[in-house]
Amino acid sequence: MAAEEPKASSIQVIERMMNLLDTLAKHPDPIPLKQLAGETGLHPSTAHRILAAMTARGFVERVDAGVYRLGIRLLQLGNVVKSRISVRDSAVESMQKLHLATGESVNLGMRDGDDIVYVERTSSGRSAVRVVHIVGARAPLHTTATGKLFLAEESNARIAEYARRTGLPPSTPASITTLAALEKELERVRRHGVAYDMDEVENGVRCIAAGIRDDSGELIAGLSLSTPADRFNPDWAPLVRDTAAEISATLGYFKPESSTVALRNDKAPRR
C-alpha cells in the first residue's frame, strides 16, 4: 500500500469531499471504499477519514463495512433549496441574454388548465408589445408554441380529450383546428425538442419555444422567442433550446446523456 498522503489544507479537504460526493452520485448502488478511493485518486485511509466525517453529519451513509452511499441529509438540504427556487427568478438572467443575442422578445409561459399564462417577458423595443404576450395574458395550448410543448407531454388519449373539451377554436386562419393536424404537430415537437407558433395566435407574429424542466424532469414552463413574421429566423431554434436547458440546469435538471435531439438541421414547420 502506498504511503499516507501529507496533511491536506482545508480547501483540499473540501475538494476531496466534493469528489467523493460526485462519485457516489454517479453510482445507483452503494460503493466499496476501495472503489471510491480508486475513482477519486485518494489514498484509502484519506477517503475513509473524510467519509467518516460526512457519515457523522448524515451526508453519507455506511450501509455495510467499508460500503457507502449518499446520505439522507443531502435530500433534506436539496428540498430546502428546491423550496426556495423560483422558476421566474431563475429564468430572468438567461432570458435577458437570449434577448440581447437576438434583439427579439423572450417570454416565459406556464400551463394553467387549457391555457398558457405568460409570467415574464423581455420587451423587444423593436416593435409594439403584442397583447398575447403581456405578462398575465393567456392563450390556448394548441395555438401557442409553449402550449404545444405541454400537449406533447400528454398521451394520445389525453390529447384527444383536450380537443373534445376545447373544440380547438382558432385564433387566426393559421391556427390548428383538427385533432389529426394537432397530433402531427405534436409528433414534430417530440422529435425535435422545440415547438413553433406560425401566425397561429396573432397574424404576423411567430414564436419558437423550448421546455424548462425541474429536478424531477417534469415540464414546468416554456421559454419562447417571439418575432414579427418578417424577422422570424428558424436558425434561432438551437439557441432557444440551449437557453431553456440552461434554466433547467439551475432548477436541478440534468438531461440524460443518451438523449439527443436532431435539431441543428431542423426547419420551422410549413403551413
Side-chain angles (χ1 to χ4, degrees):
M1 181 175 291
E4 174 62 281
E5 300 168 353
K7 186 174 181 180
S9 69
S10 298
I11 297 300
Q12 285 177 318
V13 171
I14 293 172
E15 290 176 347
R16 291 169 178 179
M17 180 180 71
M18 293 298 102
N19 286 336
L20 285 165
L21 290 174
D22 286 341
T23 302
L24 285 166
K26 292 177 183 178
H27 296 272
D29 299 318
I31 313 174
L33 172 62
K34 184 177 180 180
Q35 181 180 350
L36 273 171
E39 292 189 19
T40 57
L42 296 174
H43 191 281
S45 63
T46 300
H48 181 266
R49 282 202 308 270
I50 297 173
L51 288 166
M54 289 195 291
T55 299
R57 299 297 298 270
F59 292 100
V60 171
E61 179 183 354
R62 190 174 68 177
V63 297
D64 202 349
V67 181
Y68 299 86
R69 66 183 177 191
L70 294 178
I72 196 68
R73 181 61 176 156
L74 293 172
L75 177 61
Q76 294 168 338
L77 292 177
N79 285 334
V80 171
V81 173
K82 184 178 179 181
S83 70
R84 295 176 181 174
I85 290 176
S86 162
V87 177
R88 188 172 177 178
D89 291 345
S90 298
V92 168
E93 183 177 348
S94 296
M95 290 174 66
Q96 290 173 343
K97 287 195 298 184
L98 180 59
H99 168 62
L100 290 174
T102 62
E104 303 295 348
S105 298
V106 181
N107 316 290
L108 181 68
M110 303 181 74
R111 182 175 184 173
D112 182 23
D114 292 335
D115 293 334
I116 287 298
V117 178
Y118 294 94
V119 298
E120 189 58 80
R121 182 179 194 267
T122 64
S123 180
S124 169
R126 298 175 62 186
S127 61
V129 175
R130 299 288 180 166
V131 173
V132 298
H133 290 142
I134 293 176
V135 172
R138 309 172 73 93
L141 296 177
H142 67 284
T143 62
T144 60
T146 295
K148 292 173 186 175
L149 295 171
F150 281 93
L151 287 175
E153 298 283 297
E154 303 281 12
S155 66
N156 289 337
R158 291 179 66 89
I159 293 168
E161 174 56 30
Y162 168 84
R164 287 192 297 270
R165 182 170 64 250
T166 64
L168 301 180
S171 299
T172 72
S175 299
I176 292 174
T177 57
T178 68
L179 177 59
L182 180 60
E183 289 175 335
K184 183 177 180 180
E185 179 81 353
L186 297 180
E187 180 55 38
R188 184 182 294 113
V189 173
R190 297 184 188 106
R191 188 166 62 249
H192 297 296
V194 291
Y196 297 92
D197 157 14
M198 304 294 284
D199 303 87
E200 296 167 62
V201 178
E202 289 190 53
N203 288 315
V205 180
R206 298 182 177 182
C207 293
I208 308 170
I212 296 171
R213 298 181 183 275
D214 66 11
D215 61 314
S216 69
E218 180 181 356
L219 180 67
I220 57 172
L223 180 79
S224 63
L225 182 73
S226 59
T227 75
D230 60 355
R231 293 205 301 264
F232 177 73
N233 183 356
D235 292 336
W236 279 331
L239 185 57
V240 175
R241 182 206 61 188
D242 291 346
T243 303
E246 180 180 280
I247 299 169
S248 297
T250 67
L251 299 173
Y253 175 68
F254 296 94
K255 186 176 181 180
E257 294 182 1
S258 60
S259 177
T260 57
V261 177
L263 180 62
R264 296 291 174 179
N265 297 320
D266 181 36
K267 298 299 180 181
R270 297 180 179 180
R271 298 289 184 208

